[in-house]
Amino acid sequence: MSPKLRGSIPHSDSVVVDEESAAIKELLASINQAQSLEENLRNLQSGTIGGVAGLLQLLKTDADKGIDESTVEQRRSQFGCNSLPAAPRKTFWQLFVDSFDDATLQILIVAAIVSLAIGIYDDPTTGYVEGLAILAAVLIVSVVTAVNDYQKELQFRELSQANDDVDVLVIRNGHAKQINVDNIVVGDVVCIEAGDSIPCDGVLLAYDGLEVDESALTGEPIDVEKCSKQDPFLLSGCTATAGSGQFLAIAVGKDSQWGVIKSHLEKEQEETPLQEKLDDMAAMIGYVGMVAAAATFVAMMCIKLFVKPDYLADVSTFHHALDAFIIGVTIVVVAVPEGLPLAVTISLAFSTKKMLADQNLIRHLAACETMGNATNICSDKTGTLTENRMTVVKGVFANQTDVNTANPSGPIHISKQAKEIILQGVACCSTARVVAQEHVESAIDPEHPVIDSRPTVIGNKTEAALLILTQSEWGDCDDADARRAAARFGKPGGSRLFPFSSARKRMSVLVVNEHEDSSDAARLSSPQRVTRSNAKHELSWTLYHKGAAETVLESCTTFLDTDGSQQVMTASKRKQFEKLITEYASEALRCVAVAHRNNVQTLLDPTTATVEDCAAKLENNMCFDALVGIADPLRADVIDAVATCQNAGIFVRMVTGDNLDTANAIAKQAGILTKDGISMTGDVFRKLTPAQLDEVLPRLQVLARSSPEDKHMLVQRLNGGLMPKNEQEWLEAHPGKDYATQRDLLLPGYKEEWALSRHGVGEVVGVTGDGTNDGPALKAADVGLSMGLSGTDVAKKASDIIIMDDNFASIVKAVLWGRSVFDNIRKFLQFQLTVNIVALTITFLSAIAGYKPPLNAVMMLWVNLIMDTMGALALGTEPPRMELLDRRPYRRDASLVSRPMWRNIFVQATYQLALLVFLLNKGPVMFNCEDGSSHHFTILFNAFVFCQVFNEFNAREIGDVFDPLRSLDKSRMFLMVIAFTVIAQWCIVEYGGDFTQTYPLTFDEWKITASLGAISLPLGWFMRQIPVQEDPESFAGVGGKKVRKRKNVLRILLLALAPVLVAIIYQLYWEVEELKH
């Protein structure tokens, strides 16, 4: 260690030199690199630091007495405090204001203000109606959005609320004292024991059987045994599961492993694909509206100045220009689909509530839709694909093979005597405990509580796997606790226990037995029958042994047969067991063996024996009882869920901190890793250049031994989210590196290079995870999905969707609902654009022809606002259909309006325009009314509204399928909206009077106008026979079912039904002629 750095932590009267402080931080960082145990250990033991002793000297800490209390403030100023500022919760008012950060709403507000000003100037009595109606629509959208966001935030805080006021035990000035976790400083000696959460990063000083669950940070499902030589590093965010220890704090707060992860969560992701599409759509509609308005203004002024018709002779040029400007603004207002943001909000809010019933808590509304077009899912392994619960999946018990121990259908078929030996060995040769429980984990939705009945494991997970097996139907629900109580471990004259050691890879217990006939050593009494009341009982001792299968097998000379007898371990039998061990290992199973030896009291005194005595005298010539393969098994529904995602065109990847062999085995079982797929480790991944990574990304299916940074960079490279945009951001991500020479060499790259490599279009990435280590990637992803039961608080806060029941198959539900939301919005858009095109065009044509607008302000309010709202409710709440999963996801830059949708819009709009122009010109003659009267315009208005009512049925399908009545029984909201629209239309026409400027219609007029509108329905079938296909380039992802080509029989059917349509039109014309007479 450098002499300049020794003793560099000053006392309270010393001055801290910035250079020395930076040097110390650099040294501490060199032994605290993520997923780099070997390098950290090498740096710790190097001459620069000088091991633990040198580290203590560097930080001016005494291993026994801790730090000097007087240096706490200086240490805090030099290394920081052990806390991170929590983001304050947004108030309802802030959320309400934030809801106006929407291009469509902003266009509407501008249009409303202009409409108000001009309307009041032109007609002070009713001119304000249109502007106020638009502002009302904006207000409704904003309030609904803010209420939803506020409710979701409250629900999430109820789910993830944690008590941050935690006390920890430290040693200062030679005395142990409890302090708040925020007050820990670098150099503190922190004491922990089983069950404690590790509050900061540190290096082990003293330990007694300390084991740590690091799955939250590394993804490793196995508890890590800590020792000073092989792994002395403790990481914040992990939990001590066994033993106790003391460690030296080397990183706190934002510098700790947990803090680094937390810092990534503070950056916000960019707009979602839907938001981008809606903004583009709003801009396009705005441009079209402005062009139409400008064209109308120019046309009307040309008519006045050059054509000079008689009806404009008495109108001044200024007044005519003002009229033309007002009509132009009206066209812009009509063009903007004010119902679109409301439809989005209603659809998302409806789906959010429905998904909550499916145990999906949506934290961010937009994530619901975004998940539908996810092209990549990067899934964690432990706790997401697997159960994060070690389970015996297969084994050999008393020479009897059982390949279905993970889901036993009944007790194993071996003799009672053989089963007794195995059950006794498993129960006694263990330090773990399994506690059955049944509790409600979430109170978010009392109507749909989450029940977690999985047993709680205390201690070693591998030992617990055996205990869980014996306590299942397989072992007749054996009571391991009763067996241990009968063995009287730790009591005078009781049984002896020598815990598992990673160095020996085995553990042993000496169990005292009381028998009336001690010669029959193989027959063991049930714990319930053991008693000390008979003084004549003779004591015998049995060695039960458990450990790594290959080492236990070497020490066995006999094996337990199905009848409970011991058979000689022949060479062929030994090879058979060795072959099984190799087979299990190739399947990434952890192989554990159980053995026993009777009457060991004849070889030594069990009451005084040591672990060395056991190893030398007893752990040989044993009887091989059982061989088991233990794994963290796949969740039951993972294989089907992965296959469904792949069929839906979604590329599923596994990103885990586990070793490569285990990751590959699990990925193959889940169907993630294919023959052509690539799997690699994190150390290889992080050495790739951005260009090299782009080459392997299409086939990269497994990333093992990955650090949180690796997962974060993978997501960044896929979707371009949070990618460094300039030199300053790049240098922040790569401190000490040269931007000019290394920007194309280091991951994740930079925005300009990334955009050029894929034409600016990234993947839509969903990331699943439950651990603290998944936090940054969850935040960088387009949709982050965390686990509600096993997920850490960090993961939940970083996610967009919380899978409350930890069910991987819920991802399929999230995709299904997301696609349903996307399609529902497109259904509404198809319906809305038809209305707006017709309204815009008829207003334009009437202005050119010299008519006043046939639809007055109140009529337009009904058509453009209430119809929008009703359409949003009807089409935005359509239930999902499973066939949505048969297609690939849409690209991020795919148009919101597809080719078939444009076909449907233009065909319906053409018919409606033709009908309205016809009624505008011929209506007075047909219905015997005055041209331009309220009666005339009411007929036109009624026909137009009924066109929308029936076209709403057409809009339920956006493709080539024509089935307007499908699943209507599940769309009660749609039926309610249709009924309300028809009733409201009748009230407006019959009782609107002067306010709506409508005229009551006769029954025949109602029948004809409604029938004219009903033609939209059969027209919906005819237009779908026009051969228009979706643009193949609009789809992303892989796989998916191919769209069937239309058969020629449809053409024949079209020709056959054409006369029917002609007959219907002729019949309507005849009824009109009858009315005239």
Side-chain angles (χ1 to χ4, degrees):
M1 183 174 66
S2 173
K4 292 182 179 181
L5 297 178
R6 289 189 180 274
S8 57
I9 299 295
H11 289 284
S12 57
D13 56 350
S14 301
V15 178
V16 179
V17 181
D18 291 341
E19 289 79 3
E20 290 185 356
S21 177
I24 296 172
K25 289 182 178 180
E26 186 175 348
L27 285 176
L28 295 178
S30 71
I31 62 173
N32 195 32
Q33 303 175 65
Q35 288 287 74
S36 303
L37 174 60
E38 294 181 1
E39 187 174 353
N40 291 340
L41 196 58
R42 186 165 55 250
N43 291 336
L44 175 64
Q45 296 171 349
S46 66
T48 305
I49 294 180
V52 175
L55 188 62
L56 285 165
Q57 187 175 358
L58 176 69
L59 296 178
K60 199 68 175 181
T61 300
D62 187 285
D64 298 321
K65 297 182 180 180
I67 63 171
D68 187 338
E69 189 87 35
S70 63
T71 66
V72 170
E73 289 303 322
Q74 289 180 344
R75 291 172 187 270
R76 185 173 290 121
S77 64
Q78 185 175 0
F79 298 107
C81 61
N82 194 38
S83 63
L84 290 169
R89 189 179 73 186
K90 287 187 175 182
T91 63
F92 177 81
W93 174 251
Q94 290 174 315
L95 293 172
F96 177 74
V97 173
D98 288 347
S99 67
F100 290 97
D101 291 335
D102 181 279
T104 308
L105 290 184
Q106 292 167 358
I107 292 174
L108 282 172
I109 292 172
V110 172
I113 293 173
V114 174
S115 180
L116 267 176
I118 295 176
I120 293 174
Y121 174 81
D122 185 60
D123 185 3
T125 56
T126 60
Y128 62 87
V129 173
E130 188 74 37
L132 282 183
I134 299 172
L135 288 178
V138 171
L139 184 63
I140 291 172
V141 171
S142 301
V143 170
V144 171
T145 301
V147 167
N148 272 285
D149 288 345
Y150 190 74
Q151 288 178 341
K152 294 297 165 291
E153 183 66 20
L154 287 179
Q155 287 176 340
F156 172 69
R157 288 183 180 265
E158 289 177 12
L159 175 71
S160 62
Q161 183 178 11
N163 184 11
D164 295 329
D165 189 18
V166 178
D167 289 335
V168 294
L169 191 67
V170 299
I171 298 176
R172 291 180 178 176
N173 292 340
H175 300 287
K177 63 179 299 184
Q178 278 193 332
I179 63 172
N180 189 275
V181 67
D182 293 345
N183 295 329
I184 295 176
V185 294
V186 169
D188 258 324
V189 176
V190 184
C191 304
I192 57 171
E193 58 184 19
D196 289 346
S197 180
I198 298 173
C200 61
D201 297 344
V203 174
L204 207 57
L205 298 176
Y207 56 95
D208 181 11
L210 181 63
E211 295 182 6
V212 177
D213 179 4
E214 295 185 346
S215 61
L217 263 181
T218 67
E220 290 276 10
I222 305 298
D223 293 343
V224 179
E225 184 176 358
K226 295 294 178 178
C227 63
S228 57
K229 292 183 179 180
Q230 296 179 345
D231 187 359
F233 302 105
L234 298 175
L235 305 177
S236 53
C238 301
T239 304
T241 56
S244 60
Q246 296 179 358
F247 69 90
L248 177 67
I250 61 171
V252 297
K254 62 182 179 63
D255 296 323
S256 66
Q257 295 275 343
W258 184 88
V260 171
I261 291 172
K262 182 76 172 177
S263 65
H264 287 302
L265 311 184
E266 314 225 337
K267 299 178 182 178
E268 291 297 329
Q269 177 58 289
E270 299 172 355
E271 284 190 328
T272 68
L274 178 64
Q275 290 170 329
E276 294 172 0
K277 290 184 175 73
L278 289 178
D279 289 346
D280 292 342
M281 177 63 64
M284 183 193 74
I285 293 174
Y287 295 146
V288 171
M290 286 186 286
V291 169
T296 302
F297 180 82
V298 171
M300 292 183 67
M301 292 306 299
C302 287
I303 291 173
K304 170 65 178 174
L305 297 176
F306 301 111
V307 179
K308 299 179 180 179
D310 294 338
Y311 69 86
L312 291 178
D314 297 332
V315 181
S316 67
T317 302
F318 172 77
H319 193 272
H320 184 72
L322 184 60
D323 287 341
F325 182 71
I326 291 172
I327 291 175
V329 172
T330 302
I331 288 176
V332 173
V333 172
V334 170
V336 177
E338 60 265 36
L340 182 57
L342 182 61
V344 174
T345 302
I346 288 174
S347 186
L348 290 173
F350 170 78
S351 299
T352 296
K353 292 179 180 178
K354 291 293 184 180
M355 289 180 73
L356 186 60
D358 286 337
Q359 304 302 340
N360 288 268
L361 174 62
I362 309 299
R363 292 197 61 228
H364 302 126
L365 280 177
C368 184
E369 172 276 331
T370 308
M371 192 63 204
N373 286 324
T375 60
N376 278 248
I377 291 178
C378 298
S379 175
D380 181 35
K381 178 183 74 69
T382 306
T384 307
L385 293 170
T386 64
E387 296 182 359
N388 196 18
R389 179 169 59 90
M390 300 304 289
T391 303
V392 178
V393 295
K394 60 174 63 176
V396 178
F397 307 90
N399 205 27
Q400 179 74 32
T401 301
D402 190 339
V403 295
N404 192 33
T405 54
N407 299 290
S409 57
I412 186 172
H413 299 297
I414 57 177
S415 68
K416 183 177 181 181
Q417 186 178 8
K419 183 191 293 185
E420 182 67 24
I421 293 173
I422 294 173
L423 294 178
Q424 181 77 351
V426 170
C428 294
C429 197
S430 175
T431 57
R433 292 288 187 276
V434 178
V435 180
Q437 67 171 355
E438 181 173 330
H439 65 276
V440 178
E441 184 72 19
S442 171
I444 294 295
D445 186 9
E447 297 181 3
H448 305 92
V450 180
I451 306 297
D452 182 15
S453 57
R454 295 181 303 173
T456 299
V457 173
I458 302 174
N460 186 280
K461 294 179 181 178
T462 302
E463 293 181 356
L466 285 163
L467 291 175
I468 291 172
L469 177 64
T470 62
Q471 294 175 10
S472 68
E473 292 182 14
W474 182 94
D476 289 325
C477 303
D478 189 60
D479 191 345
D481 290 335
R483 292 182 181 273
R484 288 177 182 167
R488 299 183 298 112
F489 284 103
K491 296 182 179 180
S495 301
R496 304 287 308 284
L497 183 145
F498 305 103
F500 179 84
S501 166
S502 59
R504 298 177 63 232
K505 294 186 177 180
R506 57 178 70 191
M507 72 173 292
S508 294
V509 292
L510 298 176
V511 178
V512 58
N513 306 298
E514 300 181 56
H515 300 284
E516 295 181 4
D517 182 5
S518 61
S519 64
D520 188 8
R523 179 169 51 84
L524 304 180
S525 300
S526 172
Q528 288 82 357
R529 293 170 58 190
V530 173
T531 174
R532 298 182 57 86
S533 62
N534 191 342
K536 295 181 181 180
H537 288 181
E538 297 182 11
L539 297 180
S540 67
W541 293 75
T542 301
L543 167 76
Y544 291 102
H545 184 74
K546 179 178 66 183
E550 61 275 12
T551 60
V552 174
L553 182 60
E554 289 176 0
S555 304
C556 292
T557 55
T558 60
F559 66 89
L560 186 65
D561 211 345
T562 53
D563 60 359
S565 63
Q566 297 185 17
Q567 304 296 329
V568 176
M569 180 77 72
T570 62
S572 61
K573 194 66 179 179
R574 188 178 299 275
K575 285 184 179 180
Q576 181 183 341
F577 283 126
E578 289 173 349
K579 183 180 179 181
L580 276 175
I581 292 172
T582 303
E583 178 186 319
Y584 288 2
S586 68
E587 298 175 9
L589 301 182
R590 194 169 197 184
C591 300
V592 176
V594 179
H596 82 283
R597 186 173 182 179
N598 295 321
N599 292 327
V600 296
Q601 76 277 2
T602 61
L603 303 174
L604 50 65
D605 182 2
T607 60
T608 60
T610 63
V611 65
E612 290 78 12
D613 293 333
C614 277
K617 300 179 181 180
L618 304 182
E619 293 175 357
N620 52 66
N621 296 322
M622 294 184 294
C623 177
F624 195 80
D625 299 334
L627 167 67
V628 297
I630 299 177
D632 184 7
L634 283 176
R635 294 183 180 274
D637 43 24
V638 161
I639 296 177
D640 290 339
V642 169
T644 303
C645 288
Q646 291 170 338
N647 184 63
I650 301 171
F651 194 112
V652 182
R653 310 174 195 264
M654 178 197 289
V655 186
T656 177
D658 214 337
N659 66 73
L660 185 61
D661 291 337
T662 302
N664 283 343
I666 293 294
K668 287 178 181 177
Q669 293 177 30
I672 294 174
L673 183 59
T674 61
K675 292 181 179 179
D676 298 329
I678 294 176
S679 61
M680 68 171 59
T681 56
D683 57 345
V684 176
F685 170 85
R686 64 182 73 105
K687 291 176 183 176
L688 297 175
T689 65
Q692 290 172 336
L693 179 56
D694 285 345
E695 290 181 8
V696 301
L697 273 180
R699 294 194 296 138
L700 180 61
Q701 295 171 337
V702 176
L703 183 59
R705 288 295 185 201
S706 64
S707 68
E709 281 294 318
D710 295 336
K711 194 170 187 178
H712 188 231
M713 285 190 293
L714 175 62
V715 175
Q716 284 181 296
R717 195 68 198 168
L718 285 169
N719 69 355
L722 309 182
M723 186 74 73
K725 297 182 179 65
N726 49 48
E727 182 176 355
Q728 181 181 353
E729 291 185 7
W730 191 92
L731 291 173
E732 290 177 0
H734 305 285
K737 304 297 182 181
D738 182 54
Y739 177 75
T741 60
Q742 294 180 292
R743 60 181 178 178
D744 291 319
L745 302 178
L746 299 178
L747 291 174
Y750 55 99
K751 194 73 173 183
E752 182 182 358
E753 167 269 330
W754 176 88
L756 288 174
S757 68
R758 58 207 72 208
H759 306 293
V761 181
E763 304 285 347
V764 180
V765 183
V767 170
T768 70
D770 65 339
T772 302
N773 62 319
D774 299 316
L778 288 169
K779 196 69 174 179
D782 295 282
V783 181
L785 302 105
S786 64
M787 299 296 155
L789 294 177
S790 60
T792 63
D793 194 54
V794 174
K796 292 174 185 174
K797 288 181 178 178
S799 65
D800 302 293
I801 300 175
I802 298 175
I803 309 300
M804 295 171 63
D805 58 357
D806 283 16
N807 192 337
F808 185 83
S810 295
I811 294 175
V812 177
K813 295 179 183 177
V815 172
L816 179 62
W817 274 104
R819 294 189 177 187
S820 178
V821 168
F822 186 71
D823 275 17
N824 286 349
I825 292 169
R826 298 176 88 197
K827 291 174 186 176
F828 172 77
L829 193 58
Q830 175 178 273
F831 170 73
Q832 175 62 34
L833 286 178
T834 304
V835 178
N836 285 0
I837 287 175
V838 175
L840 184 152
T841 307
I842 198 66
T843 304
F844 173 77
L845 292 177
S846 62
I848 297 298
Y851 282 96
K852 66 178 181 179
L855 302 179
N856 59 48
V858 177
M859 291 178 181
M860 291 298 292
L861 170 63
W862 169 242
V863 173
N864 241 33
L865 173 64
I866 302 179
M867 287 286 286
D868 287 359
T869 305
M870 294 298 102
L873 281 171
L875 299 172
T877 57
E878 286 277 275
R881 298 166 182 169
M882 290 304 297
E883 55 261 36
L884 291 175
L885 296 176
D886 292 338
R887 74 167 189 232
R888 290 184 293 158
Y890 287 100
R891 287 166 54 93
R892 184 185 286 269
D893 61 341
S895 173
L896 198 59
V897 183
S898 66
R899 291 173 181 175
M901 288 174 64
W902 280 124
R903 174 200 62 194
N904 299 345
I905 291 168
F906 284 131
V907 169
Q908 290 290 339
T910 300
Y911 166 71
Q912 293 180 23
L913 280 172
L915 176 64
L916 294 181
V917 170
F918 175 77
L919 292 176
L920 193 63
N921 293 321
K922 303 298 182 180
V925 177
M926 291 174 56
F927 293 94
N928 194 25
C929 59
E930 183 182 349
D931 188 10
S933 65
S934 59
H935 186 188
H936 179 199
F937 284 163
T938 299
I939 291 172
L940 188 145
F941 169 58
N942 207 46
F944 179 49
V945 168
F946 273 100
C947 281
Q948 312 318 317
V949 169
F950 288 101
N951 190 38
E952 206 157 357
F953 285 89
N954 278 322
R956 297 184 71 219
E957 299 286 352
I958 56 178
D960 292 336
V961 177
F962 179 75
D963 191 359
L965 303 181
R966 179 164 66 160
S967 304
L968 269 181
D969 56 324
K970 298 179 181 178
S971 302
R972 287 178 294 178
M973 181 62 72
F974 182 90
L975 295 175
M976 291 170 61
V977 166
I978 294 297
F980 175 82
T981 303
V982 172
I983 294 172
Q985 175 68 11
W986 181 75
C987 293
I988 289 172
V989 170
E990 297 297 320
Y991 302 106
D994 293 337
F995 178 74
T996 59
Q997 299 179 27
T998 53
Y999 185 88
L1001 301 180
T1002 65
F1003 175 76
D1004 287 333
E1005 289 171 338
W1006 272 100
K1007 183 174 65 173
I1008 293 174
T1009 51
S1011 298
L1012 289 171
I1015 294 177
S1016 296
L1017 205 55
L1019 186 63
W1021 184 88
F1022 279 89
M1023 72 184 180
R1024 285 179 169 86
Q1025 310 318 309
I1026 300 174
V1028 177
Q1029 298 288 345
E1030 287 251 35
D1031 182 6
E1033 296 298 320
S1034 65
F1035 292 102
V1038 293
K1041 293 186 178 178
K1042 294 182 179 180
V1043 180
R1044 293 181 179 178
K1045 294 183 178 180
R1046 250 189 306 269
K1047 298 181 180 179
N1048 291 332
V1049 68
L1050 293 178
R1051 305 287 185 273
I1052 300 173
L1053 190 60
L1054 174 60
L1055 295 174
L1057 291 177
V1060 178
L1061 181 61
V1062 173
I1064 293 173
I1065 296 174
Y1066 177 80
Q1067 179 66 23
L1068 289 173
Y1069 180 78
W1070 182 82
E1071 291 190 19
V1072 170
E1073 289 297 319
E1074 284 289 305
L1075 282 175
K1076 288 194 294 184
H1077 298 293

